[in-house]
Amino acid sequence: SKWLTGGTPNRYRFAVKEQDPVGLLTQFGIEIHFTTPYSGQSKPIERSFLDLEQEIGASAAFQGAYVGANPLDKPHDAGTRVIPIAEFEAVVDAGIQRHNRRLGRLTRACKGAGLSFDQAFDESFATALVARATPEQLRQALLCVEGVTVRQHGHGVVLNGNRYFGEFLIDLVGQKIAARFDPDDMHAGLHVYSLTGVYLGFAACLEKVGFANAEEGREAQRLKKRLLRSIKDKAAAEDALTAHQLAALGPEFTDEEIRRPIVVRGLFTAGAAAQQLQIEDDPAALEAALQNFNRAASHLRVVGEDE
C-alpha cells in the first residue's frame, strides 16, 4: 500500500511517481524489507494466515456466510446468510486472542520452549526499551492519506464530493498536497501535509455534500462504473439491432434473379448493320425495315454476367 510505503524507491507494486505522498513507514524512518512476489516461503506471515483461515474462517459462527480465502472452495450453503460487520469483528477478535494464547509454539520467538505468542511477547516487552509515539505521529498513523490538488478561486480541496478549506490553502493553489483524513468520518476535516510530510494546517469541511465515509465513496464509484458499463452495452446492442433491422428491410433476391442477364445484344450481318433505312413516308421502305428487323431478331443472343 502506498499509504504505508509510498516514496520508497524499490517498491514492487504500483508505479513509483514523483508526486506520490510519502508513506507512513517511509516518513517515520522505518527500514522496509520487501519480499519476493509470489514467494510464500519468504513471508512468515503466510503461515499465520493459514492458521487464521483454519481457526476463524471455518468457524461455525460463519455458517452460511462463507468468509474463506478461496472462492472456489465455497460450501454448498455459501451466501444463504449475511453476517453483520460487528458480529464478524467480534468473532475475528476472539479468534486472534485464542490463536495468541495457544501453548506449545516452537518458533524462534518462543525459543523452542513451547510458549504461547502472548507469553513470548510479555517476556520481551518487560525488558525492551519501548518508544512511544508522539501525538503528531499518532495523527499520521491513524489517518488515511490521499494526494489531491488545491483548486483555484477559493474552492480549496475536494475529496469524495466534500469541500474543505483553510486560509493557508490560498498560497497552495495548483499544488498537490497530501490530505490525511479519517475514513470513517469524512466530514471531520483534513490535516494537510506537503508531499514530503511537512504539516501545513487543518482544513475544515465547509460543504458536506459528499460521502460521510470513504467506503461509501468507493461503493458509489463501483456503482457508477457498473452503470456506465451497462449504458455502453445497451448502446452496442441497439447499434447491432438497428443494423440487423436495416438489413431485413432490404430487397430479397433469389438465385434466379441474381443470375438474370444484364445485357441483351443483337448480332447483325455487316450489310444489315451498315444499311441506313429511310422510312419517313415510304410504306414499302417501312415494310422492308420490319422484315429486316424480324430476320435480325431471329439471330439474337443473350449475353449474361459471365460474358
Side-chain angles (χ1 to χ4, degrees):
S1 171
K2 285 190 176 182
W3 287 356
L4 298 176
T5 61
T8 305
N10 57 334
R11 303 179 74 252
Y12 283 120
R13 292 188 177 184
F14 310 109
V16 177
K17 300 178 181 178
E18 185 176 347
Q19 292 189 332
D20 284 338
V22 175
L24 183 66
L25 301 181
T26 309
Q27 184 170 345
F28 286 176
I30 298 174
E31 185 177 359
I32 305 170
H33 299 277
F34 291 95
T35 58
T36 305
Y38 307 106
S39 176
Q41 60 268 32
S42 64
K43 307 178 183 70
I45 191 63
E46 295 290 351
R47 175 56 191 269
S48 295
F49 287 157
L50 177 62
D51 290 343
L52 295 178
E53 160 68 14
Q54 295 173 348
E55 298 173 8
I56 300 177
S59 172
F62 298 142
Q63 184 71 31
Y66 179 68
V67 296
N70 191 344
L72 300 179
D73 293 338
K74 289 183 178 180
H76 68 281
D77 62 347
T80 58
R81 171 173 170 257
V82 177
I83 183 170
I85 185 63
E87 183 180 343
F88 171 80
E89 291 175 344
V91 174
V92 171
D93 183 60
I96 292 177
Q97 292 186 33
R98 187 169 55 251
H99 174 79
N100 291 336
R101 288 196 305 264
R102 189 199 308 163
L103 297 173
R105 303 290 188 177
L106 301 178
T107 64
R108 183 172 60 182
C110 295
K111 303 177 181 179
L115 300 176
S116 68
F117 291 154
D118 279 343
Q119 290 173 335
F121 177 83
D122 291 339
E123 182 179 316
S124 173
F125 190 79
T127 58
L129 180 61
V130 180
R132 300 291 181 179
T134 66
E136 170 63 19
Q137 290 173 330
L138 286 176
R139 181 169 60 194
Q140 296 182 50
L142 297 177
L143 298 179
C144 297
V145 62
E146 197 74 43
V148 291
T149 301
V150 180
R151 299 193 176 189
Q152 295 181 350
H153 309 301
H155 291 166
V157 173
V158 176
L159 188 62
N160 277 349
N162 301 300
R163 187 170 73 89
Y164 306 85
F165 185 76
E167 293 293 338
F168 66 96
L169 292 176
I170 297 177
D171 297 329
L172 301 175
V173 170
Q175 299 183 30
K176 194 168 185 178
I177 51 89
R180 292 192 176 273
F181 58 92
D182 183 351
D184 295 327
D185 188 4
M186 297 294 298
H187 294 165
L190 305 176
H191 290 280
V192 180
Y193 293 77
S194 70
L195 296 180
T196 57
V198 178
Y199 185 69
L200 301 177
F202 178 78
C205 184
L206 297 186
E207 295 182 5
K208 301 178 181 180
V209 296
F211 301 100
N213 59 67
E215 181 57 33
E216 288 182 1
R218 287 191 291 268
E219 180 63 22
Q221 287 297 324
R222 287 192 289 265
L223 293 176
K224 183 178 179 180
K225 290 180 180 179
R226 190 184 307 171
L227 175 62
L228 292 177
R229 187 162 54 246
S230 65
I231 292 175
K232 290 181 180 179
D233 293 341
K234 179 176 179 293
E238 289 179 347
D239 290 343
L241 181 61
T242 301
H244 177 73
Q245 290 173 336
L246 288 176
L249 293 176
E252 297 183 359
F253 300 98
T254 63
D255 291 344
E256 294 181 358
E257 291 174 325
I258 294 176
R259 295 177 181 176
R260 285 187 307 178
I262 59 175
V263 176
V264 177
R265 182 176 64 197
L267 295 179
F268 301 92
T269 60
Q275 183 180 5
Q276 296 182 1
L277 301 178
Q278 302 294 330
I279 60 173
E280 293 178 354
D281 296 319
D282 190 346
L286 178 61
E287 180 65 25
L290 291 175
Q291 292 178 1
N292 289 337
F293 177 78
N294 289 334
R295 284 196 301 271
S298 65
H299 297 287
L300 284 176
R301 184 177 69 179
V302 176
V303 180
E305 294 181 23
D306 293 337
E307 299 188 43

